[in-house]
Amino acid sequence: MKIASFNIAGIKARMPALTAWLEEAKPDVAILQEVKSVDENFPREHFENMGYNVETHGQKSFNGVAILSKYPLEDVMCGLPGDDSDEQARYIEANVVNERAVRVCGLYLPNGNPVEFDAEGAPIHDGKYGYKLGWMARLHARAEELMAAEEPFLMAGDYNVIPQAEDAARPEAWTKDALALPDSRNAYRKLMNLGLTEAFRNRNPAPEQYTFWDFQRGAWNRNDGIRIDHFLLSPECADLLKDCQIDKEIRGREKPSDHVPIWIELAA
DNA sequence: ATGACCTGTCCTACAGGA
């Protein structure tokens, strides 16, 4: 089973590029972020006609996540637990029911910028950065709950975290950025320390492997990228992992997203 | 000129992204 994650930066603008990629890559499951659409306007029938079941958790203008799946989707949960006042549509879970069920969690983790610093130069855990760190604590709590079931699950999406210096073409440019600050990296590491396997690095130790290139400053042409889209697998899911790759070439096409798809192949 | 952002929305200018 092939499961992909793709931050599409707007479903409406990405229909041609997304459709072409789905037809070529043929993922069984596609986890989408930054749909930027309310559920009523999501072009559900277009994807149903391609053989996908569709679950969306959208909002007006910003954020929004969705799951497309050739297998049935069951027990759908929208929204990350732990804060009833959080209105941003960034999280969706569903069981993908094939020969065995895999719990798929799709996430669009908050960016966290801009970060404010105190007089000593320490980042203040407030505003957007505070929201990011709080969101990551809630994600950790949810992962801990799912781990207790000892069944295959995965958390995939746009984490907005550059895990290590080697995951950026210019690491020095990100040292004061919410994507790479120590607290962001530590929260990501803490999630992994629950026993989750990061699929890409499990399969590919090569440098210069990125999933995002900014639209600005000719980032793509200079390969000035960062690796921020990740798959974290539970132990039971990691046992099924056969492959993990980034569809880099998509970035050079007509009307691309600023992210590219990352996918895993599971023996199930 | 080693380089010039994209999307959605409706106050066609602005917020938000990373």
Side-chain angles (χ1 to χ4, degrees), chain A residues 111-118 121-130 132-133 176-181 183-184:
Chain A
N111 173 302
N113 285 308
V115 181
E116 292 184 60
F117 297 86
D118 66 20
I124 300 166
H125 292 187
D126 208 348
K128 293 195 171 183
Y129 190 48
K132 175 178 193 150
L133 296 176
K176 303 278 188 207
D177 192 286
L179 276 62
L181 278 170
D183 289 318
S184 299

Side-chain angles (χ1 to χ4, degrees), chain A residues 210-255:
Chain A
Y210 311 127
T211 63
F212 170 91
W213 294 260
D214 203 302
F215 286 124
Q216 301 184 67
R217 295 178 291 275
W220 168 247
N221 290 328
R222 296 187 295 152
N223 196 25
D224 182 10
I226 51 178
R227 195 173 69 88
I228 56 175
D229 297 85
H230 310 297
F231 269 86
L232 298 191
L233 314 181
S234 76
E236 295 77 10
C237 189
D239 287 343
L240 305 173
L241 181 64
K242 299 185 73 150
D243 198 5
C244 180
Q245 295 196 44
I246 296 166
D247 283 345
K248 178 181 179 179
E249 70 282 1
I250 300 296
R251 185 64 178 80
R253 293 193 182 173
E254 208 54 30
K255 231 170 172 319

